[in-house]
Amino acid sequence: MKILVINCGSSSCKFQLFNIDNGDVLAKGNAERIGIDGKLTYKPAGKDEVVIEADMPDHKVAVTMILDQLVDKDHGVISDVSEIAAVGHRVLHGGKYYSESVIVNDDVKKVIRDCFDLGPLHNPANLIGIEACEAVLPAGTPQVAVFDTAFHQTMPPKAYMYALPYEYYEKYDIRRYGFHGTSHRYVSRRVADFLGEKYEDLRIITCHLGNGSSFAAVKDGKCQDTSMGLTPLAGICMGTRTGDIDPAIVPFIQKRTGMSADELDTLMNKQSGVQGISGVSSDFRDLAKAASEGNERAQLALDMFVYQGTKIVGSYAAAMGGVDVIVFTAGIGENTYDVRAGICKNLEFMGVKIDPAKNDGLRGKEAIISTDDSKVKVVVIPTNEELAIAQETEALVR
Ligand code: ADP
């Protein structure tokens, strides 16, 4: 069965076509600069990348161009678009409505639209992507929405409520939602398989550490808590995002500087985090290099990241009454062994012990990095959100 996975942004449309029977990626690429000029990068498996610069006024045109490449007589990978059994769409926000992926119908589209306020940068683009596929694929091709928030919908109210007056929850749906759910679900399930354990029997803490970073506490096969909140700004400090700060800082800065709400939003989302602290970069490779050359603020940014990560993992262990497995994933979690080592070293009091011979130098591979006598298994599991979306899509349409 062939499944197309689509991840639409406001001016881009990333895609991967899977043969889900064996997990192979048949082709992948990205349509960029939609509505500006247009550039399509298309890479069929085992063949050279193709770059096409052509006018792409909207997402419908972009999706049409992608499909044209998939069936192209020279570098296509299928002979007809009817071979695409279903399309899985990454959708940022499903609000409080969905705890699972769903086949798209008018009600689902209404929910995605109702959540525009909660995911203003992503949800409108995600809906455009769905409608573009509906318009250009054969009628009846199922479209599946896979929500970033869905996995976290099992959190109990004590974990997702904020201590604001209750009517703010009732009127405006202000609560913790959490993000990266597809990744947290994928790596937590995968680690259970990898260890040969029953998913429901494990207390797992998943650490998705990338440009955006979040943690999840998973017990009884369900998400119990997660570090991102109403928006992906909460939790650990990130590439350019503050993570948790005293909320009173916001009106404080506003009064001092006269910044508008939008300017504050930009400050906290785009100019803060390890970039804001170090003044060097949001990229952990640059930070590590600067720190090794004696840049104290780069070192401070790294120290803050490890310290805050430690506190979150420690608090989730407390929340679950213990932890059996800690999983590291995403760009930093998979590649930056001193961050893994730093967090685990701080957790030695809980019986976490990692083996430097297994951890040092490990990049992007599934591996246990704890010692045999560690009370907690520490595992690196590379995330694969696209494959996870394809698998969820297949499960729904089969
Ligand atoms: P995004 O949230 O954009 O998907 P990623 O998961 O790609 O982010 O993570 C980006 C972060 O991962 C960057 O800080 C980068 O420094 C780090 N990273 C990615 N690859 C490596 C690598 N090979 N070595 C060290 N760090 C890496």
Side-chain angles (χ1 to χ4, degrees):
M1 185 188 270
K2 314 242 162 63
I3 306 273
L4 181 64
V5 172
I6 294 277
N7 182 359
C8 265
S10 54
S11 68
S12 70
C13 181
K14 293 198 193 113
F15 64 94
Q16 289 196 18
L17 181 68
F18 284 90
N19 176 357
I20 201 67
D21 303 323
N22 56 13
D24 282 355
V25 177
L26 302 174
K28 63 180 179 180
N30 191 11
E32 295 167 87
R33 302 180 58 84
I34 301 169
I36 306 165
D37 36 31
K39 176 178 166 193
L40 172 64
T41 314
Y42 170 81
K43 170 83 179 72
K47 291 191 192 161
D48 288 343
E49 184 174 280
V50 180
V51 178
I52 299 167
E53 296 196 8
D55 217 23
M56 255 185 238
D58 57 35
H59 285 72
K60 225 153 82 177
V61 175
V63 172
T64 304
M65 285 175 64
I66 292 167
L67 295 177
D68 285 348
Q69 291 309 305
L70 292 173
V71 299
D72 184 86
K73 65 176 174 19
D74 292 327
H75 41 254
V77 291
I78 49 177
S79 46
D80 192 274
V81 290
S82 62
E83 286 180 45
I84 299 172
V87 186
H89 294 267
R90 180 180 196 176
V91 181
L92 182 82
H93 226 301
K96 61 188 174 194
Y97 304 99
Y98 293 113
S99 57
E100 296 288 343
S101 305
V102 284
I103 296 186
V104 174
N105 59 22
D106 287 345
D107 292 343
V108 175
K109 285 200 264 185
K110 180 175 180 310
V111 167
I112 297 173
R113 203 171 290 116
D114 287 348
C115 293
F116 277 8
D117 264 1
L118 293 170
L121 298 179
H122 297 86
N123 268 40
N126 301 151
L127 185 60
I128 287 170
I130 290 172
E131 291 181 333
C133 287
E134 284 176 339
V136 302
L137 276 160
T141 309
Q143 312 284 324
V144 170
V146 180
F147 299 99
D148 257 31
T149 49
F151 181 58
H152 305 302
Q153 278 296 304
T154 50
M155 284 187 291
K158 67 183 177 191
Y160 71 67
M161 286 300 291
Y162 292 122
L164 287 162
Y166 199 79
E167 63 260 32
Y168 284 76
Y169 168 63
E170 293 176 309
K171 266 197 217 157
Y172 304 117
D173 290 328
I174 296 177
R175 49 159 284 180
R176 181 187 306 280
Y177 291 99
F179 299 87
H180 294 140
T182 309
S183 175
H184 289 293
R185 188 198 313 255
Y186 174 81
V187 299
S188 60
R189 286 200 175 145
R190 177 72 205 127
V191 81
D193 277 353
F194 181 68
L195 296 173
E197 304 269 0
K198 199 160 162 238
Y199 186 46
E200 287 76 13
D201 291 346
L202 294 174
R203 293 164 299 181
I204 307 169
I205 298 174
T206 46
C207 313
H208 176 110
L209 309 180
N211 228 338
S213 297
S214 67
F215 296 76
V218 183
K219 187 181 173 191
D220 303 327
K222 290 190 184 132
C223 176
Q224 308 287 333
D225 206 343
T226 192
S227 60
M228 284 179 167
L230 173 76
T231 74
L233 183 58
I236 191 170
C237 60
M238 305 175 216
T240 60
R241 296 177 222 164
T242 55
D244 289 345
I245 57 171
D246 178 346
I249 292 170
V250 178
F252 183 90
I253 296 179
Q254 195 166 26
K255 282 185 204 143
R256 281 291 176 93
T257 64
M259 281 174 131
S260 67
D262 284 346
E263 285 168 334
L264 276 162
D265 208 51
T266 303
L267 175 78
M268 293 191 297
N269 274 292
K270 305 246 167 82
Q271 296 158 2
S272 299
V274 294
Q275 159 80 63
I277 288 291
S278 67
V280 172
S281 173
S282 63
D283 191 297
F284 273 58
R285 286 165 287 200
D286 301 338
L287 289 179
K289 182 166 180 290
S292 71
E293 291 164 359
N295 185 312
E296 287 178 10
R297 275 169 49 193
Q299 187 59 55
L300 172 63
L302 291 169
D303 291 347
M304 286 172 68
F305 190 80
V306 167
Y307 179 66
Q308 293 184 9
T310 304
K311 290 204 296 184
I312 296 172
V313 175
S315 70
Y316 286 177
M320 294 193 292
V323 54
D324 303 303
V325 186
I326 297 171
V327 186
F328 286 99
T329 194
I332 298 163
E334 290 166 29
N335 296 297
T336 309
Y337 35 89
D338 37 5
V339 168
R340 295 192 298 252
I343 292 176
C344 290
K345 178 125 196 49
N346 292 340
L347 297 170
E348 269 177 9
F349 75 97
M350 294 187 338
V352 175
K353 248 203 247 174
I354 60 166
D355 180 344
K358 294 178 182 160
N359 179 53
D360 294 359
L362 178 73
R363 290 185 194 279
K365 267 203 326 222
E366 287 186 347
I368 299 172
I369 58 168
S370 44
T371 58
D372 292 344
D373 65 340
S374 175
K375 281 196 189 139
V376 180
K377 287 235 160 42
V378 184
V379 187
V380 175
I381 300 280
T383 194
N384 191 338
E385 287 165 288
E386 289 76 17
L387 177 62
I389 292 171
Q391 287 171 340
E392 301 228 349
T393 301
E394 185 217 11
L396 271 176
V397 300
R398 253 207 208 274

